[in-house]
Amino acid sequence: MMIDEKTNQSFAFFLFCTFTFHFIFSMLERLIPSSKESLPVIGLGTWQTFDVDEKNQSTLIPVLEELHRSGGKLIDSSPMYGRSEAVIGNLTSKFKTRNDFFYATKVWTTGKQAGIDQMKSSMKKMQRDTIDLMQIHNLLDWKTHLPVLKEWKEAGIIKYIGITHYQDAMHDELAKIISAEKIDFVQFNYSIDSLHAEKRLMKVAGDNGVAILINRPFGEGRLFEKVKAKKLPEWCTEFGIKNWSSFFLKFILADSSVTCVIPATSDVHHAAENFHAGSDSIPDFEMSRNMFNYLNSI
């Protein structure tokens, strides 16, 4: 079959664009303070989105593929999230690149032995012999679990330990703990319309060399309701902001103390938008205040 010159040129251009896209797209990485290991700034949360039955699990494969293709690593889960740990384990076990991911989960129970049993169960479900990050979910019985996490870290069963919460009212308690204990990660809520963490917690984490994970970056969806049918301002193009999810995520990343943001989704299109927010330019603090003011003006 003969290929005319125009078709040949078009195909060559397609290959050039494809190569250029993969060459120039690179997710920003930030250092985990306790180890200086780098971690991509956008990860994947699994609350509700990965709690699916076996017949629906295949729909999540493209999301994990997009996470890897975009340069992301961190997958965050918990026993609280129903079947999500098992779904993660089942799906990633089929990936040749499964060891490229950064696996994070939590202990969410009371009592020392119950915590040990739950963590072993979580690792079995996720099909991991070791876990990258084990966190104490919502500080539940944290004084009991923390010594065990430290022992497991010393033994090499887990790489990092962390604590989490999702409410503003618990930010002071998180700050108190990371000031007094050797913690690698702290996870909490923060978004462009919920700035409580700026009052103290983010600074305390930075001062104590604790990596920050951000949950609820979209305010559980209320931010998208606010901007429904609204257009982005023209100056967004300077920072590669092409959609509202990128606007909200880049606002968070404007704070250099944030290590990784973990939006949850089961939609590959939304996942791609989220992950791409970790590339291109990141606004500085002054611009983030302009973003905040703009959102309040619409």
Side-chain angles (χ1 to χ4, degrees):
M1 181 178 67
M2 298 293 291
I3 301 177
D4 60 43
E5 184 178 354
K6 183 177 181 181
T7 301
N8 192 49
Q9 290 176 344
S10 297
F11 182 66
F13 180 72
F14 168 77
L15 289 176
F16 171 78
C17 290
T18 302
F19 171 79
T20 302
F21 172 79
H22 286 289
F23 180 75
I24 64 174
F25 178 77
S26 178
M27 189 183 290
L28 174 68
E29 297 186 352
R30 288 179 176 168
L31 297 181
I32 299 169
S34 65
S35 67
K36 306 307 178 186
E37 176 187 2
S38 61
L39 190 66
V41 295
I42 305 291
L44 178 66
T46 60
W47 164 238
Q48 296 184 323
T49 55
F50 273 58
D51 182 16
V52 298
D53 56 33
E54 190 171 349
K55 67 179 181 181
N56 291 311
Q57 289 183 21
S58 61
T59 63
L60 297 168
I61 292 174
V63 175
L64 292 169
E65 290 176 334
E66 185 62 32
L67 173 65
H68 187 267
R69 181 166 48 247
S70 299
K73 287 186 178 181
L74 195 149
I75 306 171
D76 181 74
S77 192
S78 170
M80 179 189 178
Y81 301 169
R83 291 162 288 197
S84 71
E85 289 178 318
V87 171
I88 292 166
N90 183 43
L91 295 182
T92 57
S93 69
K94 299 176 174 63
F95 280 50
K96 291 181 180 179
T97 57
R98 61 186 176 275
N99 291 327
D100 291 345
F101 294 117
F102 184 103
Y103 296 86
T105 192
K106 309 176 184 77
V107 55
W108 183 62
T109 188
T110 57
K112 179 178 180 179
Q113 191 58 49
I116 290 171
D117 292 343
Q118 188 181 70
M119 289 190 290
K120 287 181 177 178
S121 175
S122 292
M123 292 173 68
K124 183 176 180 180
K125 289 175 182 177
M126 297 180 81
Q127 301 188 35
R128 307 302 298 171
D129 294 326
T130 61
I131 205 79
D132 293 296
L133 170 61
M134 185 65 75
Q135 304 157 98
I136 302 171
H137 198 151
N138 293 345
L139 297 180
L140 183 61
D141 203 11
W142 72 267
K143 291 182 180 180
T144 298
H145 299 313
L146 187 57
V148 178
L149 265 62
K150 289 181 178 180
E151 289 176 9
W152 282 29
K153 180 181 177 182
E154 185 68 24
I157 302 170
I158 58 179
K159 192 171 185 179
Y160 299 105
I161 60 178
I163 54 176
T164 83
H165 217 284
Y166 68 99
Q167 294 179 335
D168 289 355
M170 298 304 295
H171 287 179
D172 283 345
E173 183 67 13
L174 290 172
K176 180 181 177 181
I177 295 170
I178 62 177
S179 295
E181 301 283 350
K182 191 170 177 139
I183 305 287
D184 298 301
F185 280 81
V186 59
Q187 180 185 145
F188 53 84
N189 58 302
Y190 176 63
S191 63
I192 194 170
D193 72 337
S194 181
L195 307 182
H196 186 271
E198 292 183 356
K199 292 182 178 180
R200 180 183 178 216
L201 181 53
M202 296 180 92
K203 184 178 187 306
V204 171
D207 290 347
N208 285 276
V210 179
I212 293 175
L213 297 183
I214 297 299
N215 59 42
R216 301 195 173 192
F218 303 136
E220 293 185 282
R222 66 177 177 267
L223 286 172
F224 290 114
E225 286 298 315
K226 180 176 178 61
V227 299
K228 194 173 183 178
K230 304 290 186 182
K231 291 184 178 180
L232 289 164
E234 291 184 3
W235 44 261
C236 282
T237 57
E238 179 182 350
F239 301 98
I241 299 174
K242 300 176 182 178
N243 49 68
W244 283 108
S245 64
S246 182
F247 186 95
F248 301 139
L249 292 171
K250 283 180 181 287
F251 170 86
I252 294 171
L253 293 174
D255 191 311
S256 60
S257 67
V258 172
T259 309
C260 182
V261 190
I262 48 173
T265 185
S266 58
D267 183 293
V268 67
H269 174 70
H270 294 159
E273 290 183 343
N274 293 343
F275 303 145
H276 287 207
S279 66
D280 301 314
S281 301
I282 301 298
D284 59 18
F285 181 80
E286 182 178 355
M287 179 54 68
S288 75
R289 299 307 105 170
N290 291 338
M291 296 167 76
F292 172 82
N293 292 333
Y294 178 80
L295 187 68
N296 284 338
S297 72
I298 61 176

